[in-house]
Amino acid sequence: MTLSLAPPRPLSRLRHPSVLAAGAALVTVGLGAALVVAAGTDPATAWAALEEGMFGSPYSVGTSLNSAAVLALIATGFSVAHRAGLVNVGGEGQLCAGGLAAAATGLALPPQVPTALGVPLTLVAGFLAGTLWAWLAAVLRTRRGTSEVITTLLLNFVGVGAVSVAVHEEGLLRQPVTSSETLPQSEALPAGAHLPLIAGAESPATVIVAVAAVAVVVTAVVLRFTGTGLRLTAVGHSPSASARLGLPVARLQEGGLGVAGGLAGLAGACLVATAPYVLAEHFSSGYGFTGLVVGLLARGSLIAVAAVSLLLGFLTSGGINLQLAAGVPASSVQIVQSVLVLLIAATMLWSNRRTGAAT
């Protein structure tokens, strides 16, 4: 390794993460404008619709915050597992398991259950179900050496299928069929299992925002300032060396992946306990996979988890309004979001490689 005493070149400043992120955003905006023009929509009209969908009303802001909170919970769990050297790609299945358990628990409660009892029971059921779902993959990893990437990925399909079966079978969770128009979904949860609103009736923002914020802060503190965080980091860097030092490697890995699944399950429970308060097929809306993207982009930083979750949460709400108000196809919005993620990931990788080469 050689050290250079020469002053930093001006071009080196262009590799700063904030500069690269700004460049990626500008390129994405340009692509979005091109797609808007190709769709036959005036760019000014499209921008107004996007802004309206993100910040135009308490409803849009509340919807964006709820979406960001779900992503933050999943990405926070991913960061915990990643710190232990594991890659959790099963957020979607764990979210579905949590939503299924939360719905079953909520529907089993008496109609007059108080919120102080109904909400915690529903959320805890979701957390435990997600933990168990991820623990299955963790045990296969620690006791049989099976890749957690494969097992968590395959368990996604099992979780999605389990939700589909539950909402289509009357003997399980499907609401009573009264006509051909009855939707395949569960009955609504009792009022005592509904997540309370935090910003008044005009905004749909619920306590999931506060739950996600607490989860991010607590996780950041634990990983950075406690012995548990240090042990997880050691295991993530070298399981064999950690084992020689006497650390319980298997237990730490199982715990890390279990927490990841629990937070994803908690996100699923929050989705079910938010309006319209039912478990429906495809209720997850792909949050599990998007949360995985957030976790990958954050690269273990909980501050980045919060920032990227907010960005994608607001873009999702803005994109919906862009489609409805400006007539821009939904596929165009998905292309813009995907390109933004790819550019940010590419610039981060390029910056790290250039930094490594300079040292």
Side-chain angles (χ1 to χ4, degrees):
M1 179 181 296
T2 60
L3 297 177
S4 174
L5 299 179
R9 293 173 296 177
L11 289 178
S12 65
R13 298 177 181 177
L14 297 178
R15 293 196 295 268
H16 192 277
S18 61
V19 176
L20 294 175
L26 288 175
V27 173
T28 305
V29 169
L31 175 63
L35 292 174
V36 166
V37 172
T41 304
D42 177 56
T45 302
W47 176 257
L50 182 65
E51 186 178 13
E52 176 70 22
M54 292 191 295
F55 310 109
S57 67
Y59 181 86
S60 59
V61 173
T63 301
S64 300
L65 289 175
N66 284 344
S67 298
V70 172
L71 295 177
L73 285 172
I74 298 170
T76 298
F78 176 89
S79 299
V80 174
H82 186 264
R83 185 63 64 94
L86 304 177
V87 180
N88 177 38
V89 297
E92 187 77 2
Q94 295 149 13
L95 183 147
C96 288
L100 184 60
T105 301
L107 293 174
L109 297 174
Q112 303 302 324
V113 62
T115 300
L117 180 62
V119 169
L121 286 176
T122 302
L123 298 187
V124 168
F127 182 88
L128 293 178
T131 299
L132 178 61
W133 206 256
W135 182 77
L136 296 174
V139 170
L140 289 174
R141 172 69 171 82
T142 58
R143 302 184 185 181
R144 291 290 181 264
T146 307
S147 171
E148 78 282 356
V149 175
I150 296 175
T151 52
T152 54
L153 177 63
L154 294 178
L155 283 170
N156 284 332
F157 300 101
V158 179
V160 173
V163 170
S164 180
V165 170
V167 299
H168 278 85
E169 295 294 332
E170 292 187 54
L172 296 176
L173 293 180
R174 181 170 183 173
Q175 61 181 338
V177 178
T178 57
S179 70
S180 60
E181 297 180 355
T182 303
L183 296 176
Q185 62 186 31
S186 70
E187 293 186 275
L189 270 63
H194 297 178
L195 291 184
L197 301 175
I198 61 174
E202 295 182 355
S203 172
T206 67
V207 295
I208 184 178
V209 178
V211 170
V214 170
V216 169
V217 172
V218 170
T219 301
V221 171
V222 170
L223 292 181
R224 185 165 185 177
F225 299 108
T226 68
T228 299
L230 181 61
R231 295 185 188 95
L232 286 172
T233 301
V235 169
H237 281 303
S238 177
S240 57
S242 299
R244 287 194 294 269
L245 291 173
L247 295 180
V249 175
R251 189 170 64 190
L252 287 168
Q253 288 181 332
E254 291 175 8
L257 195 55
V259 169
L263 290 177
L266 177 61
C270 289
L271 285 176
V272 171
T274 303
Y277 311 110
V278 298
L279 177 70
E281 196 171 16
H282 308 304
F283 82 103
S284 66
S285 301
Y287 277 119
F289 297 112
T290 307
L292 167 64
V293 171
V294 174
L296 289 171
L297 289 176
R299 299 168 62 87
S301 169
L302 275 302
I303 295 177
V305 163
V308 178
S309 297
L310 285 171
L311 173 62
L312 293 185
F314 276 89
L315 279 179
T316 299
S317 296
I320 294 174
N321 193 65
L322 187 62
Q323 179 185 0
L324 296 175
V328 178
S331 57
S332 299
V333 177
Q334 294 171 355
I335 290 173
V336 170
Q337 291 179 347
S338 300
V339 168
L340 176 61
V341 169
L342 289 174
L343 285 175
I344 292 177
T347 53
M348 290 171 61
L349 178 61
W350 181 77
S351 176
N352 289 340
R353 284 186 174 180
R354 295 291 295 180
T355 302
T359 57

